Amino acid sequence: MRGTIIVLLLLSLAFPASAAPAYAIHVDVDAKTLTLFQGNALVKQYTVATGAWDTPTPLGVFTINSRFSGQMGGFGTCFLGLNVPWGNYGIHGTNKPGSIGSNASHGCIRMYVKDAEELYALVPNGTKVVIECGPYGGLGYSLRPLHSGDRSSMVRAVQCKLKALGYYFGWPDGIYGAGTEQAVSAARKALGLPPGEVDWAFYQAIGLTLFE
């Protein structure tokens, strides 16, 4: 399983053999599963809900960097925050258990309350979280047109490509803001494209393609 290999590689690079096995989390958006590892051992797999089509779950490798727990609410009773640069996302419980197993959230990973509480008690801040969907890494299944105001791993991929080409000078944060607008405009002009945003012709012109 590709996700398993990525998780184990991350752990082997981050922790020496003499250290206690660390936890790591792999989320498969397609399968709606969250798998908890400790070292190279699979601890438990949970069924989850992920983002709706227009509010997708962020793809990539992130870290748990915050947490809170409290009374039952929309986040269940606990929340594990992720360091996603383009928004506030996390792993949490839900007061809508019927949504588990579907594309239902605003991008967060929803769990049954008892499962979220179990995970919350086990994993510390600093735990790596690998989120995957489809065969193309942060690009998911396909290249989507992007517009000013969009926030996603695909925006970040475009920013990274434009930075490598010398058009974008900011930090690739996944936010299609003013700096990205200027970079896209400059690149389109230099590459002989008419004014516009990120469309199929632009992807082709900058050489951003789907790859496994």
Side-chain angles (χ1 to χ4, degrees):
M1 186 171 66
R2 182 182 54 165
T4 304
I5 294 172
I6 291 175
V7 170
L8 297 180
L9 177 59
L10 283 170
L11 290 176
S12 67
L13 292 175
F15 298 95
S18 60
Y23 286 107
I25 292 170
H26 174 252
V27 177
D28 187 323
V29 173
D30 281 335
K32 300 293 179 287
T33 57
L34 182 155
T35 305
L36 176 64
F37 295 90
Q38 187 173 28
N40 59 1
L42 190 157
V43 177
K44 193 166 183 178
Q45 188 170 85
Y46 305 91
T47 302
V48 299
T50 55
W53 169 256
D54 56 345
T55 55
T57 295
L59 306 180
V61 180
F62 307 108
T63 301
I64 294 174
N65 67 346
S66 63
R67 63 180 56 223
F68 66 81
S69 61
Q71 307 229 342
M72 182 68 182
F75 293 143
T77 57
C78 54
F79 184 97
L80 295 168
L82 302 176
N83 66 335
V84 180
W86 58 88
N88 297 317
Y89 299 91
I91 302 168
H92 59 78
T94 179
N95 59 1
K96 298 179 180 178
S99 68
I100 300 300
S102 66
N103 298 314
S105 76
H106 287 90
C108 288
I109 311 299
R110 290 182 186 173
M111 307 179 72
Y112 289 115
V113 170
K114 63 179 179 60
D115 291 344
E117 289 175 345
E118 182 176 73
L119 185 69
Y120 187 93
L122 287 172
V123 298
N125 285 4
T127 299
K128 294 294 183 185
V129 180
V130 178
I131 306 178
E132 295 185 308
C133 179
Y136 302 119
L139 300 178
Y141 278 98
S142 62
L143 296 172
R144 297 188 190 182
L146 300 176
H147 309 287
S148 181
D150 284 349
R151 295 168 174 247
S152 69
S153 54
M154 197 169 294
V155 173
R156 184 173 59 179
V158 169
Q159 290 172 328
C160 288
K161 188 67 175 179
L162 290 174
K163 191 175 184 72
L165 294 173
Y167 296 107
Y168 182 72
F169 304 101
W171 177 256
D173 58 5
I175 302 172
Y176 197 144
T180 304
E181 289 178 8
Q182 293 170 5
V184 170
S185 178
R188 291 188 71 95
K189 182 176 181 180
L191 297 168
L193 297 175
E197 295 183 295
V198 177
D199 53 18
W200 178 243
F202 185 76
Y203 282 124
Q204 288 184 305
I206 65 173
L208 185 57
T209 59
L210 298 174
F211 60 90
E212 296 193 40

